[in-house]
Short mmCIF file of all heavy atoms in Angstrom, two decimals:
data_model
loop_
_atom_site.label_atom_id
_atom_site.label_comp_id
_atom_site.label_asym_id
_atom_site.label_seq_id
_atom_site.Cartn_x
_atom_site.Cartn_y
_atom_site.Cartn_z
N LYS A 79 13.78 -0.51 -13.34
CA LYS A 79 15.08 -0.24 -12.66
C LYS A 79 14.94 -0.79 -11.24
O LYS A 79 15.42 -0.06 -10.28
CB LYS A 79 15.38 1.24 -12.68
CG LYS A 79 15.57 1.83 -14.04
CD LYS A 79 15.92 3.26 -13.93
CE LYS A 79 15.80 4.02 -15.24
NZ LYS A 79 14.51 4.68 -15.40
N GLY A 80 14.39 -1.92 -11.02
CA GLY A 80 14.29 -2.49 -9.64
C GLY A 80 13.24 -1.90 -8.74
O GLY A 80 13.10 -2.24 -7.70
N ARG A 81 12.50 -0.87 -9.30
CA ARG A 81 11.49 -0.23 -8.53
C ARG A 81 10.17 -1.09 -8.62
O ARG A 81 9.70 -1.28 -9.68
CB ARG A 81 11.15 1.11 -9.04
CG ARG A 81 12.25 2.14 -8.68
CD ARG A 81 11.77 3.54 -8.74
NE ARG A 81 12.81 4.52 -8.83
CZ ARG A 81 13.00 5.28 -9.84
NH1 ARG A 81 12.20 5.28 -10.90
NH2 ARG A 81 14.08 6.07 -9.88
N LYS A 82 9.63 -1.35 -7.44
CA LYS A 82 8.37 -2.01 -7.43
C LYS A 82 7.29 -0.99 -7.79
O LYS A 82 7.42 0.09 -7.34
CB LYS A 82 8.08 -2.65 -6.08
CG LYS A 82 9.04 -3.84 -5.79
CD LYS A 82 8.75 -4.48 -4.52
CE LYS A 82 9.62 -5.75 -4.33
NZ LYS A 82 9.71 -6.22 -2.96
N ARG A 83 6.27 -1.48 -8.46
CA ARG A 83 5.13 -0.66 -8.79
C ARG A 83 3.85 -1.26 -8.11
O ARG A 83 3.76 -2.47 -7.94
CB ARG A 83 4.86 -0.69 -10.30
CG ARG A 83 6.14 -0.15 -11.01
CD ARG A 83 5.94 -0.01 -12.53
NE ARG A 83 5.13 1.17 -12.81
CZ ARG A 83 5.70 2.38 -12.77
NH1 ARG A 83 7.00 2.62 -12.54
NH2 ARG A 83 4.91 3.45 -13.18
N TYR A 84 2.98 -0.42 -7.70
CA TYR A 84 1.79 -0.85 -6.94
C TYR A 84 0.52 -0.28 -7.55
O TYR A 84 0.54 0.70 -8.29
CB TYR A 84 1.90 -0.27 -5.49
CG TYR A 84 3.10 -0.71 -4.77
CD1 TYR A 84 4.36 -0.03 -4.82
CD2 TYR A 84 3.11 -2.04 -4.10
CE1 TYR A 84 5.42 -0.53 -4.19
CE2 TYR A 84 4.31 -2.45 -3.52
CZ TYR A 84 5.51 -1.69 -3.52
OH TYR A 84 6.62 -2.22 -2.84
N THR A 85 -0.56 -0.94 -7.19
CA THR A 85 -1.89 -0.51 -7.56
C THR A 85 -2.87 -0.73 -6.43
O THR A 85 -2.61 -1.53 -5.56
CB THR A 85 -2.27 -1.27 -8.89
OG1 THR A 85 -3.51 -0.73 -9.38
CG2 THR A 85 -2.47 -2.69 -8.60
N LEU A 86 -4.00 -0.01 -6.45
CA LEU A 86 -5.03 -0.13 -5.44
C LEU A 86 -5.86 -1.33 -5.72
O LEU A 86 -6.03 -1.74 -6.89
CB LEU A 86 -5.95 1.06 -5.38
CG LEU A 86 -5.60 2.23 -4.34
CD1 LEU A 86 -4.25 2.80 -4.67
CD2 LEU A 86 -6.64 3.23 -4.39
N THR A 87 -6.22 -2.04 -4.59
CA THR A 87 -7.23 -3.09 -4.84
C THR A 87 -8.59 -2.47 -4.82
O THR A 87 -8.79 -1.29 -4.54
CB THR A 87 -7.16 -4.07 -3.64
OG1 THR A 87 -7.51 -3.35 -2.39
CG2 THR A 87 -5.74 -4.66 -3.43
N SER A 88 -9.56 -3.36 -5.12
CA SER A 88 -10.93 -2.74 -5.16
C SER A 88 -11.31 -2.30 -3.69
O SER A 88 -12.06 -1.39 -3.55
CB SER A 88 -11.82 -3.82 -5.76
OG SER A 88 -12.94 -4.11 -4.96
N SER A 89 -10.89 -3.00 -2.65
CA SER A 89 -11.22 -2.68 -1.29
C SER A 89 -10.55 -1.28 -1.01
O SER A 89 -11.19 -0.46 -0.23
CB SER A 89 -10.53 -3.62 -0.27
OG SER A 89 -11.04 -4.88 -0.53
N GLY A 90 -9.28 -1.04 -1.51
CA GLY A 90 -8.64 0.23 -1.33
C GLY A 90 -9.50 1.38 -1.98
O GLY A 90 -9.66 2.39 -1.39
N GLU A 91 -9.97 1.09 -3.18
CA GLU A 91 -10.76 2.08 -3.90
C GLU A 91 -12.04 2.38 -3.15
O GLU A 91 -12.41 3.54 -3.02
CB GLU A 91 -11.06 1.57 -5.30
CG GLU A 91 -9.85 1.55 -6.23
CD GLU A 91 -10.26 0.97 -7.62
OE1 GLU A 91 -11.26 0.44 -7.75
OE2 GLU A 91 -9.36 1.01 -8.41
N LYS A 92 -12.72 1.29 -2.62
CA LYS A 92 -14.01 1.48 -1.87
C LYS A 92 -13.73 2.27 -0.64
O LYS A 92 -14.60 3.10 -0.29
CB LYS A 92 -14.59 0.06 -1.55
CG LYS A 92 -15.22 -0.54 -2.80
CD LYS A 92 -15.87 -1.77 -2.41
CE LYS A 92 -16.49 -2.51 -3.61
NZ LYS A 92 -15.87 -3.75 -3.87
N PHE A 93 -12.62 2.13 0.09
CA PHE A 93 -12.28 2.75 1.27
C PHE A 93 -12.27 4.28 0.96
O PHE A 93 -12.84 5.07 1.73
CB PHE A 93 -10.94 2.24 1.88
CG PHE A 93 -10.55 3.00 3.09
CD1 PHE A 93 -10.99 2.63 4.34
CD2 PHE A 93 -9.65 4.10 2.99
CE1 PHE A 93 -10.59 3.35 5.51
CE2 PHE A 93 -9.28 4.73 4.19
CZ PHE A 93 -9.72 4.36 5.39
N ILE A 94 -11.42 4.64 -0.06
CA ILE A 94 -11.37 6.11 -0.42
C ILE A 94 -12.70 6.64 -0.95
O ILE A 94 -13.03 7.75 -0.60
CB ILE A 94 -10.22 6.29 -1.40
CG1 ILE A 94 -8.89 5.93 -0.85
CG2 ILE A 94 -10.23 7.73 -1.88
CD1 ILE A 94 -8.46 6.68 0.34
N GLU A 95 -13.45 5.86 -1.72
CA GLU A 95 -14.72 6.36 -2.26
C GLU A 95 -15.69 6.59 -1.16
O GLU A 95 -16.51 7.52 -1.15
CB GLU A 95 -15.22 5.39 -3.25
CG GLU A 95 -14.53 5.58 -4.59
CD GLU A 95 -14.60 4.44 -5.60
OE1 GLU A 95 -15.27 3.44 -5.26
OE2 GLU A 95 -13.84 4.53 -6.62
N ALA A 96 -15.65 5.76 -0.05
CA ALA A 96 -16.54 5.88 1.08
C ALA A 96 -16.18 7.24 1.86
O ALA A 96 -17.04 8.06 2.27
CB ALA A 96 -16.31 4.77 2.06
N LYS A 97 -14.79 7.53 1.85
CA LYS A 97 -14.38 8.82 2.48
C LYS A 97 -14.94 10.03 1.67
O LYS A 97 -15.26 11.05 2.14
CB LYS A 97 -12.88 8.86 2.57
CG LYS A 97 -12.28 7.78 3.49
CD LYS A 97 -12.44 8.20 4.93
CE LYS A 97 -11.75 7.15 5.79
NZ LYS A 97 -12.31 7.19 7.21
#
Side-chain angles (χ1 to χ4, degrees):
K79 298 185 196 95
R81 286 200 198 118
K82 290 181 177 166
R83 305 184 75 78
Y84 301 91
T85 185
L86 264 60
T87 62
S88 129
S89 304
E91 289 175 353
K92 287 186 180 116
F93 178 85
I94 295 298
E95 284 160 4
K97 298 282 184 201

